[in-house]
Amino acid sequence: ALVKAFNKVKVGLPWNDDTQMGSQINETQIKKILSYVEIAKQEGATIACGGERFTEGELAKGAFMKPTLITGVTNDMRVAQEEIFGPVAVVIKFHDEDEVVAMANDSEYGLGGAVWTKDINKAIRVARNVETGRMWVNTYNQIPEHSPFGGYKTSGIGRETHKMILNHYTQVKNIMINLSYAPSG
């Protein structure tokens, strides 16, 4: 089902109304993404779909990458541990909630995560236990205005899109002054 969904993503020129995904930012970035595809293969993963740039038509003139799904991934592989910043997703099997939370937390990053479940208790447990600045439940990448956004560990800087970001530009000092001439303390 995932392969089918990935293959249906309409990659195209940004001014076309039916485009769902455009070009990568530049040639350097697409080369980086493609290098991660090769790393995944070397580490024993399988490219279920995508894994290459567009080489025909108008898209061949730019840095257009096919949506890529990598399976057979384990949590210690580089494609699971490093930020690729491209249209690449990995599938990692797990057996239970504790195992998947431990895998999610076994990362130097913690910007955002998501859990899909009909069990609200499980959703709250996972959301609380995964070390991220934001957890979505049954959705992904919704960032409403004035909702704090930022990560744990080495992800993000403070909490953006909320007034609390101002705290990162502020030093608080407390000065105590005795205005009485009488001794105190």
Side-chain angles (χ1 to χ4, degrees):
L2 280 173
V3 168
K4 187 175 180 180
F6 273 53
N7 286 332
K8 285 177 66 176
V9 172
K10 175 66 171 116
V11 180
L13 300 171
W15 51 83
N16 292 339
D17 289 339
D18 62 341
T19 295
Q20 293 175 295
M21 186 178 88
S23 173
Q24 300 309 297
I25 191 70
N26 57 32
E27 190 65 24
T28 302
Q29 184 59 26
I30 198 164
K31 287 179 180 176
K32 178 184 176 193
I33 297 165
L34 290 168
S35 76
Y36 273 102
V37 171
E38 291 307 311
I39 290 167
K41 291 176 189 176
Q42 292 167 9
E43 290 182 327
T46 302
I47 309 307
C49 66
E52 58 190 15
R53 68 185 306 155
F54 283 87
T55 57
E56 297 178 10
E58 285 292 307
L59 302 186
K61 298 176 184 176
F64 290 89
M65 178 82 187
K66 294 180 181 179
T68 302
L69 183 65
I70 304 174
T71 58
V73 176
T74 58
N75 203 47
D76 60 337
M77 292 181 177
R78 287 182 61 191
V79 291
Q81 289 293 322
E82 298 178 15
E83 295 179 318
I84 299 173
F85 291 112
V88 177
V90 300
V91 175
I92 303 174
K93 292 182 179 182
F94 63 93
H95 294 97
D96 60 35
E97 184 180 317
D98 290 337
E99 181 184 8
V100 76
V101 167
M103 283 193 293
N105 290 338
D106 182 25
S107 172
E108 68 178 278
Y109 305 108
L111 188 58
V115 57
W116 275 263
T117 180
K118 293 179 182 178
D119 182 341
I120 191 64
N121 292 318
K122 182 180 290 188
I124 297 299
R125 271 194 318 271
V126 171
R128 283 183 176 159
N129 291 326
V130 173
E131 298 165 353
T132 61
R134 172 167 292 165
M135 280 294 288
W136 289 277
V137 176
N138 297 335
T139 187
Y140 191 75
N141 212 27
Q142 291 183 344
I143 306 174
E145 291 182 39
H146 306 298
S147 178
F149 183 74
Y152 286 19
K153 307 175 198 177
T154 60
S155 291
I157 50 166
R159 294 295 178 263
E160 303 169 27
T161 70
H162 190 271
K163 65 182 178 182
M164 67 176 53
I165 191 69
L166 298 175
N167 294 338
H168 295 278
Y169 298 99
T170 305
Q171 287 285 7
V172 175
K173 182 179 287 195
N174 186 343
I175 300 174
M176 301 296 291
I177 301 174
N178 177 7
L179 297 176
S180 170
Y181 290 104
S184 68

mmCIF file of all heavy atoms in Angstrom, residues 55-99:
data_model
loop_
_atom_site.group_PDB
_atom_site.id
_atom_site.type_symbol
_atom_site.label_atom_id
_atom_site.label_comp_id
_atom_site.label_asym_id
_atom_site.label_seq_id
_atom_site.Cartn_x
_atom_site.Cartn_y
_atom_site.Cartn_z
ATOM 1 N N THR A 55 14.907 11.396 -14.993
ATOM 2 C CA THR A 55 15.899 11.530 -16.063
ATOM 3 C C THR A 55 15.256 11.782 -17.423
ATOM 4 O O THR A 55 15.961 11.832 -18.426
ATOM 5 C CB THR A 55 16.775 10.261 -16.146
ATOM 6 O OG1 THR A 55 15.924 9.124 -16.355
ATOM 7 C CG2 THR A 55 17.595 10.087 -14.880
ATOM 8 N N GLU A 56 13.942 11.942 -17.448
ATOM 9 C CA GLU A 56 13.262 12.178 -18.721
ATOM 10 C C GLU A 56 12.361 13.401 -18.617
ATOM 11 O O GLU A 56 11.882 13.752 -17.540
ATOM 12 C CB GLU A 56 12.423 10.959 -19.112
ATOM 13 C CG GLU A 56 13.256 9.713 -19.357
ATOM 14 C CD GLU A 56 12.395 8.504 -19.699
ATOM 15 O OE1 GLU A 56 11.185 8.662 -19.927
ATOM 16 O OE2 GLU A 56 12.960 7.396 -19.725
ATOM 17 N N GLY A 57 12.128 14.034 -19.751
ATOM 18 C CA GLY A 57 11.210 15.165 -19.829
ATOM 19 C C GLY A 57 11.734 16.407 -19.123
ATOM 20 O O GLY A 57 12.932 16.545 -18.867
ATOM 21 N N GLU A 58 10.805 17.310 -18.827
ATOM 22 C CA GLU A 58 11.140 18.586 -18.189
ATOM 23 C C GLU A 58 11.821 18.406 -16.836
ATOM 24 O O GLU A 58 12.686 19.186 -16.462
ATOM 25 C CB GLU A 58 9.871 19.445 -18.015
ATOM 26 C CG GLU A 58 9.375 20.082 -19.285
ATOM 27 C CD GLU A 58 10.334 21.148 -19.788
ATOM 28 O OE1 GLU A 58 10.701 22.056 -19.016
ATOM 29 O OE2 GLU A 58 10.722 21.060 -20.965
ATOM 30 N N LEU A 59 11.424 17.374 -16.099
ATOM 31 C CA LEU A 59 11.968 17.176 -14.754
ATOM 32 C C LEU A 59 13.440 16.790 -14.774
ATOM 33 O O LEU A 59 14.142 16.980 -13.782
ATOM 34 C CB LEU A 59 11.149 16.133 -13.990
ATOM 35 C CG LEU A 59 9.651 16.443 -13.829
ATOM 36 C CD1 LEU A 59 8.996 15.398 -12.932
ATOM 37 C CD2 LEU A 59 9.411 17.838 -13.301
ATOM 38 N N ALA A 60 13.923 16.286 -15.876
ATOM 39 C CA ALA A 60 15.340 15.919 -15.983
ATOM 40 C C ALA A 60 16.242 17.151 -15.940
ATOM 41 O O ALA A 60 17.434 17.043 -15.636
ATOM 42 C CB ALA A 60 15.585 15.139 -17.274
ATOM 43 N N LYS A 61 15.679 18.317 -16.197
ATOM 44 C CA LYS A 61 16.461 19.555 -16.205
ATOM 45 C C LYS A 61 16.698 20.110 -14.799
ATOM 46 O O LYS A 61 17.498 21.027 -14.629
ATOM 47 C CB LYS A 61 15.752 20.620 -17.046
ATOM 48 C CG LYS A 61 15.599 20.234 -18.499
ATOM 49 C CD LYS A 61 14.789 21.294 -19.239
ATOM 50 C CE LYS A 61 14.535 20.879 -20.674
ATOM 51 N NZ LYS A 61 13.666 21.842 -21.371
ATOM 52 N N GLY A 62 15.999 19.568 -13.819
ATOM 53 C CA GLY A 62 16.129 20.075 -12.455
ATOM 54 C C GLY A 62 16.572 18.987 -11.501
ATOM 55 O O GLY A 62 17.003 17.910 -11.901
ATOM 56 N N ALA A 63 16.452 19.274 -10.214
ATOM 57 C CA ALA A 63 16.869 18.338 -9.160
ATOM 58 C C ALA A 63 15.634 17.617 -8.615
ATOM 59 O O ALA A 63 15.296 17.713 -7.444
ATOM 60 C CB ALA A 63 17.609 19.084 -8.067
ATOM 61 N N PHE A 64 14.942 16.910 -9.496
ATOM 62 C CA PHE A 64 13.708 16.228 -9.124
ATOM 63 C C PHE A 64 13.996 14.782 -8.748
ATOM 64 O O PHE A 64 14.599 14.035 -9.508
ATOM 65 C CB PHE A 64 12.703 16.271 -10.275
ATOM 66 C CG PHE A 64 12.145 17.643 -10.512
ATOM 67 C CD1 PHE A 64 12.776 18.524 -11.378
ATOM 68 C CD2 PHE A 64 10.987 18.050 -9.865
ATOM 69 C CE1 PHE A 64 12.264 19.792 -11.598
ATOM 70 C CE2 PHE A 64 10.465 19.318 -10.083
ATOM 71 C CZ PHE A 64 11.109 20.190 -10.951
ATOM 72 N N MET A 65 13.527 14.395 -7.571
ATOM 73 C CA MET A 65 13.765 13.068 -7.003
ATOM 74 C C MET A 65 12.446 12.317 -6.916
ATOM 75 O O MET A 65 11.422 12.902 -6.559
ATOM 76 C CB MET A 65 14.359 13.243 -5.598
ATOM 77 C CG MET A 65 14.625 11.987 -4.834
ATOM 78 S SD MET A 65 16.185 11.290 -5.337
ATOM 79 C CE MET A 65 16.139 9.745 -4.448
ATOM 80 N N LYS A 66 12.468 11.046 -7.216
ATOM 81 C CA LYS A 66 11.271 10.225 -7.069
ATOM 82 C C LYS A 66 11.064 9.916 -5.584
ATOM 83 O O LYS A 66 12.022 9.625 -4.865
ATOM 84 C CB LYS A 66 11.417 8.930 -7.862
ATOM 85 C CG LYS A 66 11.467 9.155 -9.356
ATOM 86 C CD LYS A 66 11.613 7.859 -10.123
ATOM 87 C CE LYS A 66 11.675 8.143 -11.625
ATOM 88 N NZ LYS A 66 11.837 6.896 -12.403
ATOM 89 N N PRO A 67 9.813 9.999 -5.099
ATOM 90 C CA PRO A 67 9.548 9.633 -3.705
ATOM 91 C C PRO A 67 10.075 8.220 -3.440
ATOM 92 O O PRO A 67 9.815 7.298 -4.212
ATOM 93 C CB PRO A 67 8.025 9.693 -3.603
ATOM 94 C CG PRO A 67 7.624 10.662 -4.676
ATOM 95 C CD PRO A 67 8.607 10.431 -5.795
ATOM 96 N N THR A 68 10.825 8.079 -2.363
ATOM 97 C CA THR A 68 11.584 6.859 -2.113
ATOM 98 C C THR A 68 11.156 6.205 -0.806
ATOM 99 O O THR A 68 11.085 6.865 0.228
ATOM 100 C CB THR A 68 13.090 7.189 -2.070
ATOM 101 O OG1 THR A 68 13.445 7.797 -3.323
ATOM 102 C CG2 THR A 68 13.926 5.953 -1.838
ATOM 103 N N LEU A 69 10.900 4.913 -0.878
ATOM 104 C CA LEU A 69 10.560 4.127 0.293
ATOM 105 C C LEU A 69 11.600 3.028 0.443
ATOM 106 O O LEU A 69 11.868 2.277 -0.500
ATOM 107 C CB LEU A 69 9.165 3.510 0.139
ATOM 108 C CG LEU A 69 8.645 2.726 1.329
ATOM 109 C CD1 LEU A 69 8.452 3.643 2.534
ATOM 110 C CD2 LEU A 69 7.334 2.046 0.968
ATOM 111 N N ILE A 70 12.196 2.959 1.633
ATOM 112 C CA ILE A 70 13.247 1.977 1.901
ATOM 113 C C ILE A 70 12.732 1.007 2.960
ATOM 114 O O ILE A 70 12.303 1.420 4.039
ATOM 115 C CB ILE A 70 14.543 2.666 2.373
ATOM 116 C CG1 ILE A 70 14.994 3.719 1.343
ATOM 117 C CG2 ILE A 70 15.641 1.637 2.610
ATOM 118 C CD1 ILE A 70 16.180 4.546 1.776
ATOM 119 N N THR A 71 12.798 -0.284 2.646
ATOM 120 C CA THR A 71 12.338 -1.315 3.574
ATOM 121 C C THR A 71 13.523 -2.175 4.003
ATOM 122 O O THR A 71 14.626 -2.041 3.483
ATOM 123 C CB THR A 71 11.260 -2.197 2.915
ATOM 124 O OG1 THR A 71 11.800 -2.794 1.732
ATOM 125 C CG2 THR A 71 10.025 -1.385 2.555
ATOM 126 N N GLY A 72 13.259 -3.046 4.967
ATOM 127 C CA GLY A 72 14.331 -3.903 5.478
ATOM 128 C C GLY A 72 15.347 -3.107 6.279
ATOM 129 O O GLY A 72 16.513 -3.486 6.378
ATOM 130 N N VAL A 73 14.885 -2.027 6.875
ATOM 131 C CA VAL A 73 15.768 -1.126 7.629
ATOM 132 C C VAL A 73 15.760 -1.524 9.099
ATOM 133 O O VAL A 73 14.730 -1.904 9.647
ATOM 134 C CB VAL A 73 15.298 0.340 7.468
ATOM 135 C CG1 VAL A 73 16.146 1.290 8.315
ATOM 136 C CG2 VAL A 73 15.332 0.754 5.997
ATOM 137 N N THR A 74 16.927 -1.434 9.733
ATOM 138 C CA THR A 74 17.023 -1.587 11.183
ATOM 139 C C THR A 74 17.434 -0.237 11.764
ATOM 140 O O THR A 74 17.988 0.612 11.067
ATOM 141 C CB THR A 74 18.047 -2.678 11.564
ATOM 142 O OG1 THR A 74 19.323 -2.342 11.003
ATOM 143 C CG2 THR A 74 17.594 -4.045 11.062
ATOM 144 N N ASN A 75 17.160 -0.058 13.021
ATOM 145 C CA ASN A 75 17.343 1.252 13.644
ATOM 146 C C ASN A 75 18.799 1.709 13.714
ATOM 147 O O ASN A 75 19.073 2.887 13.882
ATOM 148 C CB ASN A 75 16.726 1.259 15.048
ATOM 149 C CG ASN A 75 16.379 2.656 15.499
ATOM 150 O OD1 ASN A 75 15.781 3.419 14.753
ATOM 151 N ND2 ASN A 75 16.768 3.004 16.716
ATOM 152 N N ASP A 76 19.747 0.791 13.549
ATOM 153 C CA ASP A 76 21.156 1.184 13.608
ATOM 154 C C ASP A 76 21.699 1.624 12.250
ATOM 155 O O ASP A 76 22.840 2.084 12.165
ATOM 156 C CB ASP A 76 22.006 0.042 14.170
ATOM 157 C CG ASP A 76 21.920 -1.233 13.336
ATOM 158 O OD1 ASP A 76 20.924 -1.411 12.599
ATOM 159 O OD2 ASP A 76 22.846 -2.057 13.430
ATOM 160 N N MET A 77 20.924 1.515 11.201
ATOM 161 C CA MET A 77 21.380 1.938 9.880
ATOM 162 C C MET A 77 21.412 3.467 9.784
ATOM 163 O O MET A 77 20.617 4.148 10.423
ATOM 164 C CB MET A 77 20.462 1.373 8.788
ATOM 165 C CG MET A 77 20.545 -0.117 8.640
ATOM 166 S SD MET A 77 19.433 -0.655 7.305
ATOM 167 C CE MET A 77 19.778 -2.396 7.287
ATOM 168 N N ARG A 78 22.331 3.959 8.971
ATOM 169 C CA ARG A 78 22.471 5.415 8.819
ATOM 170 C C ARG A 78 21.194 6.068 8.313
ATOM 171 O O ARG A 78 20.854 7.179 8.726
ATOM 172 C CB ARG A 78 23.647 5.750 7.903
ATOM 173 C CG ARG A 78 24.995 5.502 8.561
ATOM 174 C CD ARG A 78 26.148 5.877 7.683
ATOM 175 N NE ARG A 78 26.123 7.297 7.338
ATOM 176 C CZ ARG A 78 26.889 7.854 6.411
ATOM 177 N NH1 ARG A 78 27.744 7.123 5.730
ATOM 178 N NH2 ARG A 78 26.806 9.133 6.158
ATOM 179 N N VAL A 79 20.468 5.379 7.411
ATOM 180 C CA VAL A 79 19.237 5.975 6.884
ATOM 181 C C VAL A 79 18.153 6.089 7.955
ATOM 182 O O VAL A 79 17.199 6.839 7.784
ATOM 183 C CB VAL A 79 18.700 5.213 5.650
ATOM 184 C CG1 VAL A 79 19.620 5.403 4.459
ATOM 185 C CG2 VAL A 79 18.473 3.737 5.958
ATOM 186 N N ALA A 80 18.308 5.374 9.057
ATOM 187 C CA ALA A 80 17.371 5.486 10.174
ATOM 188 C C ALA A 80 17.844 6.517 11.191
ATOM 189 O O ALA A 80 17.039 7.071 11.936
ATOM 190 C CB ALA A 80 17.194 4.140 10.858
ATOM 191 N N GLN A 81 19.147 6.785 11.238
ATOM 192 C CA GLN A 81 19.710 7.639 12.285
ATOM 193 C C GLN A 81 20.066 9.050 11.834
ATOM 194 O O GLN A 81 20.211 9.936 12.662
ATOM 195 C CB GLN A 81 20.958 6.978 12.867
ATOM 196 C CG GLN A 81 20.669 5.758 13.708
ATOM 197 C CD GLN A 81 19.939 6.100 14.986
ATOM 198 O OE1 GLN A 81 20.206 7.114 15.626
ATOM 199 N NE2 GLN A 81 18.975 5.281 15.360
ATOM 200 N N GLU A 82 20.217 9.267 10.547
ATOM 201 C CA GLU A 82 20.679 10.567 10.064
ATOM 202 C C GLU A 82 19.568 11.278 9.301
ATOM 203 O O GLU A 82 18.678 10.646 8.736
ATOM 204 C CB GLU A 82 21.921 10.385 9.184
ATOM 205 C CG GLU A 82 23.086 9.784 9.956
ATOM 206 C CD GLU A 82 24.327 9.538 9.113
ATOM 207 O OE1 GLU A 82 24.419 10.079 7.982
ATOM 208 O OE2 GLU A 82 25.207 8.800 9.585
ATOM 209 N N GLU A 83 19.642 12.601 9.287
ATOM 210 C CA GLU A 83 18.646 13.406 8.585
ATOM 211 C C GLU A 83 19.003 13.486 7.102
ATOM 212 O O GLU A 83 20.051 14.000 6.742
ATOM 213 C CB GLU A 83 18.571 14.810 9.194
ATOM 214 C CG GLU A 83 18.066 14.792 10.622
ATOM 215 C CD GLU A 83 17.999 16.167 11.248
ATOM 216 O OE1 GLU A 83 18.946 16.963 11.049
ATOM 217 O OE2 GLU A 83 17.009 16.456 11.935
ATOM 218 N N ILE A 84 18.105 12.992 6.269
ATOM 219 C CA ILE A 84 18.350 12.945 4.837
ATOM 220 C C ILE A 84 17.873 14.225 4.154
ATOM 221 O O ILE A 84 18.455 14.671 3.180
ATOM 222 C CB ILE A 84 17.677 11.697 4.226
ATOM 223 C CG1 ILE A 84 18.272 10.438 4.859
ATOM 224 C CG2 ILE A 84 17.840 11.684 2.703
ATOM 225 C CD1 ILE A 84 17.580 9.149 4.481
ATOM 226 N N PHE A 85 16.824 14.836 4.654
ATOM 227 C CA PHE A 85 16.234 16.046 4.080
ATOM 228 C C PHE A 85 15.888 15.861 2.610
ATOM 229 O O PHE A 85 16.335 16.600 1.744
ATOM 230 C CB PHE A 85 17.129 17.268 4.288
ATOM 231 C CG PHE A 85 17.212 17.705 5.719
ATOM 232 C CD1 PHE A 85 18.396 17.568 6.419
ATOM 233 C CD2 PHE A 85 16.117 18.223 6.362
ATOM 234 C CE1 PHE A 85 18.485 17.954 7.751
ATOM 235 C CE2 PHE A 85 16.185 18.609 7.689
ATOM 236 C CZ PHE A 85 17.369 18.477 8.378
ATOM 237 N N GLY A 86 15.099 14.844 2.359
ATOM 238 C CA GLY A 86 14.626 14.565 1.016
ATOM 239 C C GLY A 86 13.394 13.686 1.084
ATOM 240 O O GLY A 86 12.982 13.264 2.168
ATOM 241 N N PRO A 87 12.814 13.384 -0.064
ATOM 242 C CA PRO A 87 11.573 12.591 -0.094
ATOM 243 C C PRO A 87 11.866 11.100 0.099
ATOM 244 O O PRO A 87 11.676 10.289 -0.804
ATOM 245 C CB PRO A 87 11.014 12.896 -1.482
ATOM 246 C CG PRO A 87 12.237 13.135 -2.318
ATOM 247 C CD PRO A 87 13.207 13.829 -1.399
ATOM 248 N N VAL A 88 12.342 10.772 1.286
ATOM 249 C CA VAL A 88 12.747 9.409 1.601
ATOM 250 C C VAL A 88 12.128 9.018 2.946
ATOM 251 O O VAL A 88 12.227 9.764 3.912
ATOM 252 C CB VAL A 88 14.286 9.289 1.698
ATOM 253 C CG1 VAL A 88 14.697 7.877 2.092
ATOM 254 C CG2 VAL A 88 14.944 9.705 0.397
ATOM 255 N N ALA A 89 11.502 7.856 2.967
ATOM 256 C CA ALA A 89 10.974 7.309 4.220
ATOM 257 C C ALA A 89 11.518 5.895 4.382
ATOM 258 O O ALA A 89 11.758 5.194 3.400
ATOM 259 C CB ALA A 89 9.453 7.282 4.209
ATOM 260 N N VAL A 90 11.728 5.507 5.629
ATOM 261 C CA VAL A 90 12.186 4.153 5.916
ATOM 262 C C VAL A 90 11.113 3.423 6.715
ATOM 263 O O VAL A 90 10.359 4.041 7.471
ATOM 264 C CB VAL A 90 13.532 4.137 6.683
ATOM 265 C CG1 VAL A 90 14.618 4.817 5.881
ATOM 266 C CG2 VAL A 90 13.399 4.764 8.057
ATOM 267 N N VAL A 91 11.058 2.120 6.523
ATOM 268 C CA VAL A 91 10.135 1.274 7.264
ATOM 269 C C VAL A 91 10.959 0.371 8.170
ATOM 270 O O VAL A 91 11.857 -0.322 7.705
ATOM 271 C CB VAL A 91 9.280 0.405 6.310
ATOM 272 C CG1 VAL A 91 8.399 -0.555 7.102
ATOM 273 C CG2 VAL A 91 8.439 1.290 5.399
ATOM 274 N N ILE A 92 10.660 0.448 9.466
ATOM 275 C CA ILE A 92 11.343 -0.384 10.453
ATOM 276 C C ILE A 92 10.286 -1.191 11.202
ATOM 277 O O ILE A 92 9.353 -0.616 11.767
ATOM 278 C CB ILE A 92 12.151 0.474 11.458
ATOM 279 C CG1 ILE A 92 13.151 1.363 10.730
ATOM 280 C CG2 ILE A 92 12.839 -0.415 12.480
ATOM 281 C CD1 ILE A 92 13.883 2.337 11.635
ATOM 282 N N LYS A 93 10.446 -2.493 11.213
ATOM 283 C CA LYS A 93 9.493 -3.350 11.921
ATOM 284 C C LYS A 93 9.749 -3.289 13.424
ATOM 285 O O LYS A 93 10.881 -3.117 13.869
ATOM 286 C CB LYS A 93 9.627 -4.792 11.438
ATOM 287 C CG LYS A 93 9.184 -4.985 10.007
ATOM 288 C CD LYS A 93 9.312 -6.452 9.612
ATOM 289 C CE LYS A 93 8.853 -6.658 8.180
ATOM 290 N NZ LYS A 93 8.912 -8.070 7.789
ATOM 291 N N PHE A 94 8.663 -3.446 14.190
ATOM 292 C CA PHE A 94 8.772 -3.525 15.646
ATOM 293 C C PHE A 94 7.688 -4.463 16.156
ATOM 294 O O PHE A 94 6.722 -4.754 15.454
ATOM 295 C CB PHE A 94 8.659 -2.135 16.289
ATOM 296 C CG PHE A 94 7.328 -1.460 16.073
ATOM 297 C CD1 PHE A 94 6.304 -1.598 17.001
ATOM 298 C CD2 PHE A 94 7.100 -0.694 14.946
ATOM 299 C CE1 PHE A 94 5.084 -0.990 16.805
ATOM 300 C CE2 PHE A 94 5.883 -0.070 14.741
ATOM 301 C CZ PHE A 94 4.868 -0.224 15.666
ATOM 302 N N HIS A 95 7.872 -4.924 17.395
ATOM 303 C CA HIS A 95 6.947 -5.906 17.949
ATOM 304 C C HIS A 95 5.964 -5.317 18.947
ATOM 305 O O HIS A 95 4.842 -5.792 19.062
ATOM 306 C CB HIS A 95 7.728 -7.055 18.603
ATOM 307 C CG HIS A 95 8.506 -7.841 17.608
ATOM 308 N ND1 HIS A 95 9.846 -7.613 17.366
ATOM 309 C CD2 HIS A 95 8.131 -8.824 16.761
ATOM 310 C CE1 HIS A 95 10.259 -8.432 16.421
ATOM 311 N NE2 HIS A 95 9.246 -9.183 16.039
ATOM 312 N N ASP A 96 6.380 -4.322 19.715
ATOM 313 C CA ASP A 96 5.467 -3.765 20.710
ATOM 314 C C ASP A 96 5.779 -2.290 20.955
ATOM 315 O O ASP A 96 6.755 -1.747 20.456
ATOM 316 C CB ASP A 96 5.499 -4.576 22.007
ATOM 317 C CG ASP A 96 6.872 -4.626 22.662
ATOM 318 O OD1 ASP A 96 7.620 -3.625 22.604
ATOM 319 O OD2 ASP A 96 7.204 -5.673 23.253
ATOM 320 N N GLU A 97 4.925 -1.679 21.738
ATOM 321 C CA GLU A 97 5.003 -0.253 22.026
ATOM 322 C C GLU A 97 6.333 0.131 22.672
ATOM 323 O O GLU A 97 6.960 1.126 22.281
ATOM 324 C CB GLU A 97 3.833 0.110 22.938
ATOM 325 C CG GLU A 97 3.697 1.552 23.275
ATOM 326 C CD GLU A 97 2.505 1.784 24.185
ATOM 327 O OE1 GLU A 97 1.420 1.208 23.957
ATOM 328 O OE2 GLU A 97 2.677 2.562 25.144
ATOM 329 N N ASP A 98 6.774 -0.619 23.644
ATOM 330 C CA ASP A 98 8.029 -0.300 24.327
ATOM 331 C C ASP A 98 9.208 -0.319 23.363
ATOM 332 O O ASP A 98 10.091 0.542 23.419
ATOM 333 C CB ASP A 98 8.294 -1.269 25.486
ATOM 334 C CG ASP A 98 7.326 -1.072 26.644
ATOM 335 O OD1 ASP A 98 6.755 0.037 26.773
ATOM 336 O OD2 ASP A 98 7.125 -2.025 27.425
ATOM 337 N N GLU A 99 9.217 -1.293 22.461
ATOM 338 C CA GLU A 99 10.314 -1.401 21.496
ATOM 339 C C GLU A 99 10.337 -0.207 20.549
ATOM 340 O O GLU A 99 11.393 0.365 20.279
ATOM 341 C CB GLU A 99 10.203 -2.700 20.698
ATOM 342 C CG GLU A 99 11.326 -2.877 19.691
ATOM 343 C CD GLU A 99 11.171 -4.114 18.821
ATOM 344 O OE1 GLU A 99 10.118 -4.785 18.871
ATOM 345 O OE2 GLU A 99 12.124 -4.397 18.069
#
